[in-house]
Amino acid sequence: MAVNYRAELVGVLGDPVEGNPTGVMEEAGFAYAALNWRYITVKVLPGALDDAMAGVRAFNMRGVNLTMPHKINVLKHLDELSEAARLIGAVNTVVCRPDGTLFGENTDGKGFVQSLRDAAIALEGRSVCLLGAGGAARSIGVECALAGARYITVINRNAARGKALAQVIGANTRAGAAYIPWEGRARIPEGTDILINATCVGLHPHGDECPDVDFDGIDAHMTVCDVVFNPVETPFLARAAKRGARTVDGLGMLVNQGCINYELWTGEKAPRDIMYTKLKSEFGV
Ligand code: NDP
């Protein structure tokens, strides 16, 4: 039998990407499954995406992740979008199909929803309060609504972004949605079951910072989640835990979206435990 030395290529395009841990997680999975696949972490400056996507095709890559600042600009390069990616208006995962067409998906919110399922927390009929209306928040808000949340309240500083997200959810899903401006200390709406920090507040190197919310509004019946995964244990989650809330960190979302990407690209089941263990070791948890 002839030996095939050619590796299948996937990767991430973004700037900055220096602190992006996705590659080590995906490659741990490929190695475990004995797949000759490589995940390359590539710095692509804001004006260089067109050239980079030509490179993706030229290198016959099997797919790519997109991170800041390319999640929206990549849309014009794609032939087809998933329904969720269309609603979200951004793509973090591209699948390069054998026929040469490019399919765009957004797996951030799907990974988040799975992290709730992993913790046996139901979304069906629940009232969600979402802090933030950026890329991660849009993905999470849409997917929570598609997964059966009853109501989504978006709290954001930028009114245009906050209103747009509430509008997309309200118009395209069965969930109700409203926008509340973030002025001073944000009050958590009464009846909130699941509170999610989907802002970048608390992200390394500002790991001691915390979203300005009224923690008195958090109680033991709530689940409180953070999308920030570096650090894994954020002050936001620590303060919510002190109020008696259940907490869900951002690492579960990260590994879950990584597993979804792995499966979209390879067509094989991702070795989640291996990938999760690798990720945890990267963060020393
Ligand atoms: P964006 O830049 O698209 O959005 C940032 C959001 O944070 C905006 O809503 C912005 O509000 C808000 N924000 C920023 N600073 C403040 C502040 N001081 N007070 C209140 N709100 C603030 O970023 P992303 O959505 O792409 O990323 C957000 C976070 O999600 C990052 O920490 C990222 O690492 C994390 N993430 C985690 C993933 C995981 O798998 N765990 C996957 C993807 C992202 P405004 O609109 O008013 O400016």
Side-chain angles (χ1 to χ4, degrees):
M1 189 181 75
V3 178
N4 178 8
Y5 291 109
R6 187 179 73 84
E8 301 292 349
L9 285 182
V10 288
V12 59
L13 314 179
D15 178 37
V17 285
E18 286 74 7
N20 191 315
T22 306
V24 288
M25 164 176 69
E26 298 288 355
E27 291 215 329
F30 298 150
Y32 178 79
L35 289 179
N36 188 16
W37 285 55
R38 302 283 182 281
Y39 188 104
I40 53 175
T41 300
V42 188
K43 182 182 180 88
V44 175
L45 296 174
L49 184 65
D50 294 352
D51 290 343
M53 290 306 292
V56 166
R57 288 182 185 277
F59 287 1
N60 283 296
M61 291 181 74
R62 299 292 293 268
V64 277
N65 286 136
L66 287 307
T67 187
M68 264 180 23
H70 302 309
K71 288 185 179 182
I72 295 171
N73 291 338
V74 75
L75 294 176
K76 66 174 183 284
H77 293 277
L78 306 180
D79 300 293
E80 193 187 332
L81 290 181
S82 73
E83 175 64 2
R86 192 182 61 73
L87 292 180
I88 295 159
V91 154
N92 75 333
T93 305
V94 171
V95 179
C96 305
R97 290 164 163 161
D99 66 0
T101 57
L102 301 186
F103 171 74
E105 175 60 283
N106 195 312
T107 58
D108 284 336
K110 290 179 169 65
F112 174 81
V113 167
Q114 184 59 44
S115 71
L116 288 185
R117 290 198 185 112
D118 293 339
I121 294 158
L123 267 165
E124 291 75 11
R126 299 294 172 90
S127 184
V128 171
C129 176
L130 189 55
L131 304 173
R138 283 183 73 88
S139 188
I140 290 170
V142 166
E143 294 289 356
C144 285
L146 293 175
R150 179 175 52 81
Y151 203 83
I152 315 249
T153 305
V154 179
I155 302 183
N156 197 52
R157 296 178 311 185
N158 179 302
R161 271 199 283 274
K163 280 181 192 166
L165 176 51
Q167 200 275 335
V168 163
I169 294 168
N172 296 283
T173 75
R174 298 168 78 167
Y179 163 69
I180 297 180
W182 196 334
E183 291 160 349
R185 183 146 300 166
R187 293 181 68 105
I188 311 307
E190 224 159 277
T192 296
D193 301 301
I194 300 173
L195 170 66
I196 307 160
N197 174 35
T199 75
C200 46
V201 180
L203 179 64
H204 175 80
H206 304 289
D208 55 344
E209 292 180 6
C210 187
D212 191 8
V213 302
D214 178 12
F215 281 87
D216 291 343
I218 294 176
D219 61 39
H221 100 276
M222 281 189 201
T223 298
V224 177
C225 315
D226 208 329
V227 296
V228 171
F229 57 82
N230 183 14
V232 179
E233 286 147 20
T234 60
F236 179 66
L237 293 183
R239 290 184 66 179
K242 268 198 184 149
R243 298 280 311 165
R246 282 191 69 178
T247 60
V248 175
D249 67 42
L251 214 53
M253 171 181 171
L254 188 63
V255 73
N256 289 334
Q257 59 94 17
C259 289
I260 299 167
N261 300 339
Y262 181 110
E263 290 170 8
L264 284 171
W265 293 325
T266 67
E268 295 188 15
K269 186 152 179 53
R272 184 180 185 278
D273 290 349
I274 300 291
M275 293 164 72
Y276 201 15
T277 301
K278 180 67 186 171
L279 205 49
K280 284 195 272 197
S281 78
E282 287 297 306
F283 289 99
V285 293

